[in-house]
Amino acid sequence: METVEMNSVSLKRPRSEDDVANADEIKRQKILEKSKTGNDSGQSTETVTEPPEDMKNEIIPNEESEEQEEEELEDSDEDGDPESFADMMKHGLTESDVGITKFVSSHKGFSGILKERYSDFVVHEIGKDGRVSHLDDFSVPVDDEVNFEDPSEETLTVLSDEDKQRLEELQLFKNKETSVAIEVIEDTKEKRTVIHQAVKSLFPGLETKTEDRDGKKYIIAYHAAGKKALAKVRTATDPRKHSWPKSRGSYCHFVLYKENKDTMDAINVLSKFLRVKPNIFSYMGTKDKRAITVQEIAVLRITAQRLAHLNKCLMNFKLGNFSYKNHPLKLGELQGNHFTVVLRNITGTDDQIEQAMHSLREIGFINYYGMQRFGTTAVPTYQIGRAILQNNWNEVMDLILKPRPGAEKGYLVKCREEWAKTKDPAAALKKLPVKRCVEGQLLRGLLKYGMKNIISAFGIIPRNNRLMYIHSYQSYVWNNMVSKRIEEYGLRAVPGDLILKGATAVHIEEGDVDNYTIHDVVMPLPGFDVIYPKHKIGEAYKEMLVADNLDINNMRHKIRDYSLSGAYRKIIIRPQNVSWEVVAYDDPKIPLFTTDLDKLEGKPLPVLPTDGKFRALKMEFSLPPSTYATMAIREVLKMDTSIKNQTQLNTTWLR
C-alpha cells in the first residue's frame, strides 16, 4: 500500500436552471454546513475508541459542526452589507490547516459535486442490534386497553368538514384568525368533552376552552403557544394527565424521517405541536441538517396515534414504525450509520472510479476528524480550546468576541465592533437581536460576573458548547499526529505503535509486529489517562504540545470540566457494505434514487437516460460511530473537502 500527498482537484459544476434563484440559500447552507459530530451522522461514542462522557457530541454529514452558535442563528435575517460569499470564505480553513494532508490510495483523483441537492446525501441509522432504520410503515399499534388519548369513532366524526377545514387553517397559520369557535348544538358535558378530545387529537398544537356567548356554549380552539395560563407545559415526570395502560410500554419508539432539518429542530417542532418539553424525547445520535436522514426516536408516554396525527401537518419530516417499549434511547447506543451518497457531474474514467471504490472497500480511509469539527469562521474552534487549556481566559474572551473577517451575520459584525471599541458587555449586547449565540451568552456572563471573572462568565455557555472547543483542539492534535505517523511509517504496523486489547491500549513489540495490520493501530487523543506511541510520533506529540505551551504530562485542568482524560481512535477505517454504480443523467434537478418516503408513497424509480449529458457516482457504505463520511468521500475524489477550497473552485457557479 502506498501513501499519497494531497493535491487539490479542480471542481467544476454545471449551472442548473434554478441555481440563480437558489443562490442565496445555497450560500447560506454552505456557510452553515458543518457536523456537530462525527459520522457526519451520529452523536455517538465508542467506549474504547472515543473519549467517555464528554466526547459524545459529534454529528453528521456536512457538517453540522459542533459550533452551535451558527445553528442557533441560522434562521435570523442578515443585516448589514455582506462580502461576496467567495470573499467571505477566503478567510476560512483548508484541510492542511487542521492536519489533513495524506491519502492511502494510489488512484488518480477526479472531481464531483457533493450535496448539489440535500437529497443526494441519505443517512440511515444502524441500531445496536445491527438493524438499519427505515420508514416503511405508517400504521399504529393496537392496544388491548382503551386510552383516553386514542380517539374513538365518535371523536373522529363529531366535527363537521367545515369545522375541520377552519381548524386545519388555524393549526397551519393559514389565516389571520387567532381562534376558531365551534357551537355545541346538543349541549351536554359529554358532548363538550368529545369535541375537546377531537380538536386536540386531530389538530395537535391547538388548545381548547369552553365559553358562553349569548346563552350558547362554544368550544374555542386556539394555539397553545403563548397561552401559558391556559396550556400547562407537561414535564418528564408529569407528561400527561391521562391514564396510561399498564400493559403498554412507557415509551413510544418511532422512526423519524426528515429532510433538510436537523434532529433538534425536528424535536422542537414535535414538542410545540404536542405541548410537551423536548426533554421527554430521546435518541441515539444527532443527524445533520443538509441531508435526508432516518433514525429512531423514543418519547415518554405519548401515544402512537397522537404522533401519527402529526404527519398531516409536518413539513419536511414524517413519523412511522411505531412501537411501545419500556426503555428510552441513549446517546451512543448505535452501531453506526449507513450512507447513500450521490456525487454528480463526475469526471473520472471508469477505471479511476473502479480503482477508487475498490481501494475504499479493501483499504479504507484515514480516520481524520472532518472540517466540520473546526468551525467555518476565521477563528477556528481549536484555537479557543487551546487558550482554555492554557488557562488564558483573556485570550478565550478575545477570540470569541473580537472582530473577525469572513462569514458573519451583520449584527455579529456590529456587536464585535462595539466590543472592540468599548469593551462594554451591555453596549455590545444591545447590537445582538439574538442572545442565544455563544457571543451573546458570554457577554451576558460578563455583564453578570464582571470582567475580572471571565471563568464564571464563560461558564454561562452550555457545557457541551464549552467542551466543543477543547475537543476541537484534541482533534487538531490527533489529525496532525496521524499525518506524521503515516508519513514516517506508511500503512503498516510497526514496533511502538498502539493497539487495543479490550479497552486497554498496549504497545506492539518487535516480536509481535507481524500479528497486526494498520487496521489494528490506534492513536491517542491527548489526555491524562492515555499512553503514547514508543517511536518518533510519541515525541512529536510532546513537541506539538510544548509549542502550544502545554505539558503533555499534566493534562488535568484546575477546572474539572476542562481536564482531558484522552481516548484512542483507529487511524484507518474500512467501511462495510460498500457498493457503487455510475449512472447517466441530463437534468441536475432529478433525483437519482428513491427514498423511504418515495417508496411509501408509491413513487416510481426515476427514469434515467442511457447516454445522458452528465455522469454521477452513486455509492453506499456503512461507518461506525464518530467517523466522518466526508473523509471517506475525500479519499475517493482525492480533493480538499473544506468549504474554502470548494468555494474557490466554484466561485463562478456560486455567484
Side-chain angles (χ1 to χ4, degrees):
M1 291 184 284
E2 170 186 3
T3 64
V4 184
E5 290 289 344
M6 187 179 75
N7 60 313
S8 294
V9 178
S10 177
L11 177 66
K12 298 181 180 178
R13 53 194 310 170
R15 192 177 178 89
S16 63
E17 295 172 352
D18 57 346
D19 275 344
V20 176
N22 292 331
D24 288 342
E25 172 63 13
I26 293 167
K27 294 174 185 178
R28 186 173 73 85
Q29 292 289 358
K30 288 280 186 181
I31 295 172
L32 292 170
E33 282 178 345
K34 312 175 241 88
S35 180
K36 220 175 200 171
T37 130
N39 237 40
D40 296 56
S41 88
Q43 221 182 23
S44 55
T45 305
E46 292 180 286
T47 54
V48 294
T49 60
E50 289 297 296
E53 181 62 27
D54 57 3
M55 282 295 285
K56 294 181 180 177
N57 295 306
E58 281 190 43
I59 302 193
I60 99 179
N62 237 18
E63 340 235 276
E64 232 174 341
S65 121
E66 295 194 329
E67 274 192 293
Q68 292 188 352
E69 61 263 44
E70 294 289 346
E71 296 177 329
E72 295 185 324
L73 288 170
E74 69 182 69
D75 292 325
S76 303
D77 292 329
E78 173 89 56
D79 57 3
D81 187 16
E83 303 172 81
S84 75
F85 183 70
D87 287 340
M88 289 192 291
M89 290 318 302
K90 71 185 179 184
H91 305 289
L93 296 170
T94 61
E95 288 184 345
S96 59
D97 293 330
V98 294
I100 302 172
T101 59
K102 300 292 182 181
F103 293 104
V104 299
S105 57
S106 58
H107 73 274
K108 183 180 177 182
F110 54 92
S111 70
I113 307 167
L114 173 62
K115 290 192 177 184
E116 180 169 25
R117 301 165 55 86
Y118 67 78
S119 54
D120 286 346
F121 202 109
V122 180
V123 187
H124 289 268
E125 191 172 70
I126 306 172
K128 61 182 179 181
D129 58 358
R131 183 178 54 84
V132 179
S133 290
H134 283 280
L135 180 74
D136 53 21
D137 185 4
F138 283 140
S139 67
V140 173
V142 178
D143 272 333
D144 293 334
E145 301 180 40
V146 177
N147 181 260
F148 184 96
E149 292 188 47
D150 293 338
S152 63
E153 184 63 31
E154 184 181 9
T155 301
L156 295 172
T157 58
V158 70
L159 298 173
S160 69
D161 290 341
E162 181 184 353
D163 288 338
K164 289 178 181 177
Q165 183 175 347
R166 291 168 61 213
L167 288 165
E168 182 177 359
E169 289 175 353
L170 176 67
Q171 180 192 41
L172 300 179
F173 300 97
K174 287 186 176 180
N175 56 33
K176 295 182 180 179
E177 291 184 35
T178 57
S179 64
V180 167
I182 302 168
E183 184 180 355
V184 185
I185 305 299
E186 301 169 13
D187 182 23
T188 63
K189 183 177 180 180
E190 291 75 17
K191 184 64 176 286
R192 293 197 302 271
T193 298
V194 170
I195 296 175
H196 283 297
Q197 289 181 25
V199 173
K200 293 177 183 179
S201 296
L202 300 178
F203 302 95
L206 298 184
E207 189 57 273
T208 58
K209 60 182 178 179
T210 303
E211 282 188 5
D212 282 313
R213 294 183 181 180
D214 300 324
K216 296 180 180 179
K217 284 281 197 303
Y218 287 85
I219 305 298
I220 309 300
Y222 58 91
H223 272 284
K227 303 286 184 181
K228 292 182 180 178
L230 294 166
K232 176 185 174 184
V233 177
R234 301 293 167 184
T235 66
T237 55
D238 179 25
R240 301 299 308 162
K241 64 185 177 182
H242 309 304
S243 62
W244 189 266
K246 293 180 180 178
S247 62
R248 176 195 286 169
S250 293
Y251 294 88
C252 183
H253 287 233
F254 62 93
V255 168
L256 168 66
Y257 169 101
K258 62 183 182 63
E259 299 184 357
N260 206 29
K261 186 178 287 291
D262 67 44
T263 302
M264 282 313 303
D265 280 346
I267 285 175
N268 286 335
V269 170
L270 294 176
S271 302
K272 179 181 175 182
F273 275 116
L274 294 167
R275 305 183 301 282
V276 296
K277 287 189 175 180
N279 63 0
I280 71 170
F281 291 87
S282 57
Y283 45 86
M284 294 182 288
T286 308
K287 310 304 179 193
D288 182 36
K289 175 176 180 176
R290 191 159 171 77
I292 292 175
T293 70
V294 184
Q295 68 183 114
E296 188 173 351
I297 305 286
V299 61
L300 177 62
R301 294 199 171 193
I302 299 291
T303 66
Q305 186 150 5
R306 192 171 165 87
L307 291 166
H309 281 309
L310 293 176
N311 283 327
K312 298 177 181 178
C313 53
L314 293 174
M315 300 290 290
N316 295 330
F317 54 104
K318 294 291 182 185
L319 317 178
N321 295 80
F322 303 102
S323 63
Y324 293 107
K325 299 181 182 179
N326 288 316
H327 59 84
L329 295 171
K330 293 181 181 178
L331 203 61
E333 276 190 332
L334 68 169
Q335 271 194 22
N337 295 277
H338 184 76
F339 296 86
T340 303
V341 178
V342 169
L343 301 176
R344 292 180 183 256
N345 199 23
I346 55 170
T347 61
T349 65
D350 289 343
D351 282 347
Q352 282 177 285
I353 293 165
E354 285 297 310
Q355 289 176 32
M357 294 306 299
H358 186 267
S359 175
L360 182 68
R361 184 176 63 192
E362 301 302 323
I363 302 173
F365 62 96
I366 303 171
N367 194 19
Y368 286 125
Y369 286 96
M371 296 303 297
Q372 55 270 42
R373 186 76 163 182
F374 306 101
T376 57
T377 67
V379 178
T381 50
Y382 75 80
Q383 291 183 6
I384 299 170
R386 178 169 56 201
I388 294 170
L389 295 173
Q390 292 168 342
N391 215 29
N392 187 347
W393 293 100
N394 283 310
E395 176 77 356
V396 171
M397 178 177 67
D398 191 42
L399 286 170
I400 292 175
L401 295 177
K402 71 180 181 181
R404 58 178 73 169
E408 286 271 80
K409 299 285 185 182
Y411 52 74
L412 273 175
V413 173
K414 292 176 182 177
C415 171
R416 296 186 193 287
E417 289 172 349
E418 183 66 33
W419 173 256
K421 183 170 64 177
T422 66
K423 289 292 189 289
D424 180 351
L429 263 175
K430 288 180 181 177
K431 303 292 184 182
L432 276 182
V434 179
K435 304 294 192 292
R436 292 184 306 157
C437 61
V438 168
E439 292 83 359
Q441 290 163 338
L442 178 56
L443 288 168
R444 281 194 290 112
L446 292 169
L447 197 60
K448 180 176 181 179
Y449 294 105
M451 297 286 287
K452 293 185 178 179
N453 194 352
I454 300 171
I455 295 175
S456 294
F458 184 71
I460 279 189
I461 297 170
R463 182 174 183 270
N464 280 350
N465 292 41
R466 288 182 278 122
L467 296 180
M468 167 195 73
Y469 294 122
I470 56 175
H471 296 161
S472 177
Y473 179 72
Q474 285 181 302
S475 305
Y476 170 72
V477 172
W478 194 90
N479 279 0
N480 278 279
M481 291 300 98
V482 166
S483 291
K484 282 184 179 294
R485 159 63 181 78
I486 290 175
E487 181 177 1
E488 188 70 34
Y489 300 110
L491 297 176
R492 58 191 177 90
V494 298
D497 273 336
L498 292 168
I499 52 99
L500 288 172
K501 290 192 174 179
T504 304
V506 298
H507 293 102
I508 297 178
E509 302 297 336
E510 185 81 46
D512 294 330
V513 70
D514 292 337
N515 296 328
Y516 301 103
T517 72
I518 193 65
H519 296 99
D520 300 310
V521 177
V522 298
M523 284 183 58
L525 286 92
F528 61 78
D529 198 26
V530 295
I531 60 175
Y532 295 89
K534 279 185 178 178
H535 44 54
K536 292 180 182 178
I537 306 306
E539 285 302 312
Y541 270 95
K542 294 178 185 176
E543 291 167 6
M544 185 171 183
L545 267 67
V546 166
D548 285 340
N549 295 315
L550 295 171
D551 181 359
I552 201 167
N553 297 313
N554 184 21
M555 297 301 289
R556 294 186 185 274
H557 198 281
K558 68 178 186 178
I559 300 171
R560 185 177 178 183
D561 266 358
Y562 310 137
S563 290
L564 296 177
S565 59
Y568 300 100
R569 181 177 176 90
K570 285 195 171 185
I571 69 175
I572 301 292
I573 290 291
R574 187 159 42 194
Q576 301 298 305
N577 308 309
V578 178
S579 63
W580 66 93
E581 66 172 323
V582 176
V583 297
Y585 66 101
D586 288 320
D587 185 352
K589 298 189 293 295
I590 192 171
L592 299 182
F593 57 88
T594 53
T595 64
D596 284 359
L597 188 58
D598 292 335
K599 293 170 185 174
L600 268 173
E601 294 177 345
K603 290 185 181 177
L605 284 166
V607 178
L608 300 173
T610 54
D611 189 21
K613 288 187 293 185
F614 308 115
R615 294 159 70 237
L617 172 59
K618 175 187 170 185
M619 55 183 183
E620 296 194 39
F621 52 87
S622 300
L623 294 178
S626 300
T627 54
Y628 287 73
T630 44
M631 293 295 98
I633 294 163
R634 168 187 180 269
E635 186 69 40
V636 171
L637 292 178
K638 289 281 188 76
M639 62 178 295
D640 188 327
T641 60
S642 67
I643 297 175
K644 175 177 179 178
N645 187 63
Q646 294 196 22
T647 301
Q648 290 171 342
L649 295 172
N650 287 278
T651 299
T652 302
W653 174 76
L654 284 164
R655 289 177 179 168

